Amino acid sequence: MALQYSPQEIEEKWQAKWEKSGIYKARDNDKRPKFYSLVMFPYPSGDLHMGHMRVYTISDVISRHRRMQGFNVLNPMGWDAFGLPAENAAIKRKLHPKNWTIENIKHMRDEQLKKLGTSYDWTREVTTCNSDYYRWTQWIILQLYKAGLVYRKSAPVNWCPDCATVLANEQVENGACWRHQETLVIQKQMAQWFLKITAYTDSLLADLDLLTGWPERVKLMQKNWIGKSTGAQLEFTVESKPNVKISVFTTRPDTVFGVSFIVLSPENPLVLELTSEAQKKEVSKYIELSSRKSELERMSTEKTKTGVPLGTYVVNPFNGDIVPIWTADYVLMSYGTGAVMAVPAHDERDFAFAKKFDLPIKEVISADGKVSGELQNAFTGPGIMLNSSQFNGLANNDALKKITLWASENKFGKGKTQYRLRDWLISRQRYWGCPIPLIHCDKCGIVPVPDSDLPVKLPTDIELTGEGGSPLNKLDNWLNVNCPRCNQKAKRETDTMDTFIDSSWYFLRYTDANNDKEAFAQEKVNYWMPVDQYVGGIEHAILHLLYSRFFTKALKDLGLLTCSEPFSNLLSQGMITKFSPQSNRIEKMSKSRGNVVGTTDFFKRYGADAARLFTLFGAPPEQELEWSEEGAIGQYRFLGRIWRLVQDLIVQKIITDGHKAWEPFGKEGINSFDGLDNKEKVLLQLIHYTIKAVSEDLSDKRYIFNTAIARLMELVNGLYAYVQISPNSNNGQKKFNDNERGLLAFAVRTLLLLLAPMAPHIAEELWQQAHYAKNADDTIHLANWPQYVDQLTIANEIELVLQVNGKIINKVPANRGLPEDEVKQIALADEKVQQKIKDTVVRKIIVVADRLVNIVV
RNA sequence: GCUGCUGUGGCGGAAUUGGCAGACGCGCAGGACUUAGGAUCCUGUGACUUCGGUCGUGAGGGUUCGACUCCCUCCAGCAGCACCA
């Protein structure tokens, strides 16, 4: 074997061998404890670059480590294969989306993920656009439909002109489409399918507390998205139409005596009903104007408020005040009741509005309960009530509760909790998605496709034009069916599902991926779930993770599984960045920014192991990592350093003996420092310390791989130093006695085991060459993770730091575990310390065991 | 604007519990080997220094024998949300 480290010669060899021997297969219901390791599956866009590789490397290292620790590891991979890019590519290049997708999957799987040296169980691969998968997506949707969680409703929805389809609320960012940052979403009134995620609002919010293994920021983002507010819903009677009431939601019922007008959203149907004859013209003009404003325009006019009065009034039931009704587009129809009570004295928005239109500002809370005169700003803090009849003098927080109670006793309103989260719009007017398995029958209404007729296959003979409307609508022979209930003519639903549905349950399918009788067997899903470690990008903090949690809870209630949260631990890896010549900035690595580093080239030149090490070493996993060619080459050099060290020890027959590894100490190594000379002690301690440190770094308490690699580098440096100071024999080669050979063999063995999860190819190759493998079929990746002896991780002798008044004066060697008095004596006797303190009185001596002494004078 | 996170050498980063700041790597400098070195091996590398030391973790203050770490004020950068009543 060459003395030169050549990843090209070893990596693909081992990849092929691992695949053939099936060492990464997960076993259902094994006796070992299970570990479900999951990485967010990719959209098969065609080409992964180094920026993508980080997440797969991190997840793979965790899987490999757990496997060596004796867990029955499930580490699956699949494809989120439905979606718009396939359809757009089809329109542009006249390829069928299916063929485009399959080609991409083949390349990404065989040329990229496999060549990274990942340890997936490919027998469980799932592809969401295959009918053996989406058959069960349809089945699950029908179960949810039967449970009343799927409904159809005509509603104002977000329409992206570029996608030519509607979007979920979660897919609108700053008023623009999440796929097209420049394309403003427009509002359309359409009949659409919704999933009733709001039925689970409370448990989605409350159970965030159970997710102790999730990053706080992700939980916070979900919490904000759900947006719980507590307050009250209050009723204001219209003065001229006493049978009409306007409901408002407010978090500040304590300010109700300060209401000086009511505002309705322009979309609120009450606006037209309540406008006076005199105001009709102006109000219609205003509604027309604001309907033409996009979401973004409505936001950008943040500071300048617009609105018109309706010319009618309501009665404030709390104090009989008669106040005007206005319409203004700072009030959103989609939140609460689409109407608010305006209290300019205590709400900044209302204050701005009242100032602009010269409406009264009535103070009802102040810091001391006294009138403050003219307000310059809204007073939003806590204080004492005034101008509020029987509630005067109370702290506003007490008044809030009492007013709510009083309102419900007198039927003016009641306490209410309001959420920001709205139901999930799931229908899309596109072709390349999972067909919704429902049928429209004139007589029977909406009829689910019977289970026996699933899957509703997506027809393949279709011409895609990219014009608006559901492409499936044009396929008469697919569209027209007989109603399963009355057998009369009926039509299929032609919308397809949001692809986030496909990814909301794929982790369940992995547990039983080849089942053609059911979505997953209870026994298997309950054995594997929940996922023990999920790794993925922060961009899915809301969408995918919230939807998956919702699916898990809904399926649990349907009796299909027993866990209520799908992902016990979540790691959100940071992105890989690189200087982009286009923008002259360091930005996220992406094709469109022109700063990608391809995988194939890099693997060919430096190997997958070096790529893996660099992405692990550059920064902790949650932080951003800037790609650096030099840094990556540094890892290649480190691997070369290991290679040469081990090769030398093999060629010189130091750690091997014929076709066996040299093992006079057995696999456990030496269990005490007794009888070792100093340099041996140092090496033995280094080995045990390294095992401990790397094991802790790879544990779920840390997952900090950069320090794990740093510890391995220190071990390698230590081994070089050890070999260097050993005496030469006559022929110039290093001379080692049997004990030293055993220690070296143990050191190298340990090094390779600790390296194996991170650089699997070189570890396996050297494992074989040094004959640590029992036979040709033995693999380091199923070997036991090394154990350390705590006693041996620390030296008997320490360096004692001597301080005077907290400043370091000297460092002296001392034995570990000395009694405090003795340590004090050492410190006081020290020459440098003496010089410093001279005759001054020692006030206090602080001893930190085995670390330092601080003398205070 | 609100919320959250982050500020440490020329660079990426380490310091797990309040106890030696800068592990490890990149870069740089010097040496060895060599026909050659952009390979490899070894050594050095926070700043200032009168070579005794002095200063040093975004800025300022505080608590403490002792602060990168805890508290307060401020500054800068990043991210999420953004008229949510």
Side-chain angles (χ1 to χ4, degrees), chain A residues 25 68 245 265 273 279 365 456 559 569 690 742 754 764 850:
Chain A
K25 268 191 197 144
M68 290 174 76
K245 287 189 169 152
S265 163
E273 193 185 333
Q279 285 297 98
I365 300 168
V456 175
N569 295 288
T690 309
L754 297 177
E764 181 82 297
D850 296 333

Side-chain angles (χ1 to χ4, degrees), chain A residues 170 218 221-222 225 538-547:
Chain A
E170 289 84 348
V218 174
M221 282 164 78
Q222 293 220 348
W225 187 263
I538 189 74
E539 67 273 20
H540 291 114
I542 296 169
L543 293 158
H544 164 60
L545 291 172
L546 190 67
Y547 293 153

Side-chain angles (χ1 to χ4, degrees), chain A residues 701-717:
Chain A
K701 289 189 183 54
R702 274 174 71 83
Y703 286 139
I704 299 186
F705 308 102
N706 51 335
T707 51
I709 294 171
R711 297 295 87 79
L712 291 179
M713 288 172 168
E714 284 167 354
L715 178 57
V716 171
N717 292 345

